[in-house]
Every structure is written in C-alpha cells, then in structure tokens.
C-alpha cells in the first residue's frame, strides 16, 4: 500500500516537473538562440575558410535538432521540417570534412532555407490556433 502511494506521488511529481519544463519559455528561447549563434559561426567559418569552425558548428546544429527542447510542436510536419534541417546541417558538416568550401556554402544556404521554412510553418500553425473564430472551416487541420 505504501509503495502504491509512493508511486502515485512520483508520477504526480513527474507531471509537475514535466509541466514546469514546457512552461519555461526562457529555457526554450535560450536554446533556440543557440541555433542562431551556431549558424552565424558557420557563416564565419565559410568566409574565413576555416573548416574546423564550419564542421563544429554544423554538427552542433544537427545535435540541437535532436534535443528534447527542440520538439516544440508534436506534429508530423514539424518532424519533417526537423529532419530536413538536420540533413542540410549534416551536408554542411560533410562538405567541411571534405574541405569542399563551395559545397559547404551551398549546403549552408539550403540549411538557412530550412530555418526559414520551419519558422514559417510554426507561425502558420500558431496563427491558425489564435484565430479559431475567423478561420472556423480550417480548424480541423
Ligand atoms: C524544425 C523547426 C525549426 C527549425 C528548422 C529552426 N527553428 Fe528556430 N525556432 C523554432 C521554434 C519552434 C522556435 C520557438 C518559437 C516560439 O516558441 O516562439 C524557434 C525559435 C527561434 C529563435 C528565437 C528564439 C527566441 O528569442 O525566442 C531563433 C533566433 C531561431 N529559432 C533561430 C533559428 C535558426 C538560425 C535556424 C536555422 C539554423 C532555426 N531557428 C531553425 C523552430 C525551428
């Protein structure tokens, strides 16, 4: 009996902690800003032709995209955007390893498009949610 109570309490604690986690916009915001820093570093590496800087930061971006904090939306589309972004970041990493500056620059451009595309998607989803009265017919999506 005591064990059951303990387990229930642990579960509730888990819920509380879980909620706290998603209710920390600052943490997400800090995390998301890292993307910008790493992306800027990749650009720096590209113009300086410093393959180490390119590789390190593209790799960090790929890793970030697999972190829990990255998964702000739990939709198949968001996963798709994340996957495409990760592939582009990996392409940057690979080009840097091959010391291919043109390839790295091209992959960087592609990666940047993935940043923009996902942000566009996230904004669209939020707009749809914010205006249910106006966009009634589209709500089911
Ligand atoms: C798969 C989707 C996705 C991709 C790809 C993506 N982001 Fe984001 N980004 C988000 C989400 C979600 C947020 C959080 C938005 C919010 O909660 O308001 C965000 C927030 C941000 C923020 C704002 C942080 C703040 O101050 O709140 C910056 C800056 C940012 N991203 C930069 C980038 C850069 C640079 C890239 C590409 C290197 C990128 N993002 C790629 C989904 C993405």
């Amino acid at each position: 009996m005591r064990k059951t109570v303990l387990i229930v309490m642990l579960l509730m604690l888990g819920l509380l902690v879980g909620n706290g986690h998603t209710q920390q916009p600052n943490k997400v915001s800090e995390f998301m800003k890292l993307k910008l820093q790493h992306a800027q570093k990749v650009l720096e590496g590209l113009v300086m032709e410093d393959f180490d800087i390119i590789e390190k930061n593209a790799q960090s971006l790929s890793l970030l995209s697999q972190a829990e904090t990255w998964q702000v939306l739990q939709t198949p589309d968001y996963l798709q955007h994340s996957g495409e972004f990760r592939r582009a970041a990996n392409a940057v990493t690979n080009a840097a390893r091959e010391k291919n500056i043109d390839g790295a620059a091209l992959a960087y451009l592609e990666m940047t498009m993935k940043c923009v595309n996902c942000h566009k998607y996230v904004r669209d989803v939020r707009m749809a949610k914010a205006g249910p009265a106006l966009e009634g017919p589209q709500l089911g999506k």
Side-chain angles (χ1 to χ4, degrees):
M1 195 60 199
R2 270 192 72 189
K3 220 175 184 177
T4 320
V5 171
L6 196 72
I7 289 172
V8 169
M9 281 178 70
L10 278 177
L11 282 175
M12 286 173 70
L13 192 71
L15 281 177
L16 282 177
V17 171
N19 275 339
H21 183 75
T22 52
Q23 282 170 5
Q24 282 176 354
N26 283 343
K27 201 178 149 201
V28 175
S29 170
E30 286 306 308
F31 174 89
M32 294 294 176
K33 276 176 194 152
L34 286 178
K35 287 182 298 186
L36 190 55
Q37 286 168 21
H38 286 302
Q40 284 168 342
K41 275 281 179 192
V42 172
L43 180 58
E44 183 185 324
L46 282 169
V47 294
M48 314 269 287
E49 211 170 310
D50 185 324
F51 291 108
D52 274 350
I53 294 186
I54 300 173
E55 183 182 337
K56 232 188 266 162
N57 288 282
Q59 228 170 0
S60 299
L61 282 167
S62 181
L63 280 176
L64 285 182
S65 76
Q66 295 174 68
E68 201 191 328
T69 314
W70 179 284
Q71 320 304 330
V72 172
L73 296 183
Q74 310 288 338
T75 64
D77 283 343
Y78 190 81
L79 276 182
Q80 170 93 21
H81 282 292
S82 300
E84 283 179 12
F85 172 78
R86 190 155 52 245
R87 271 191 294 281
N90 289 341
V92 177
T93 304
N94 290 337
R97 279 187 189 143
E98 291 162 6
K99 312 260 183 264
N100 175 355
I101 195 72
D102 292 337
L106 211 64
Y108 172 78
L109 285 182
E110 209 157 289
M111 185 188 79
T112 311
M113 285 307 295
K114 309 297 178 194
C115 307
V116 176
N117 282 342
C118 183
H119 282 212
K120 205 161 76 182
Y121 164 73
V122 171
R123 265 197 306 275
D124 285 351
V125 168
R126 294 222 166 124
M127 294 257 278
K129 271 191 187 161
L134 293 172
E135 312 209 13
Q138 287 178 1
L139 250 192
K141 295 190 96 182

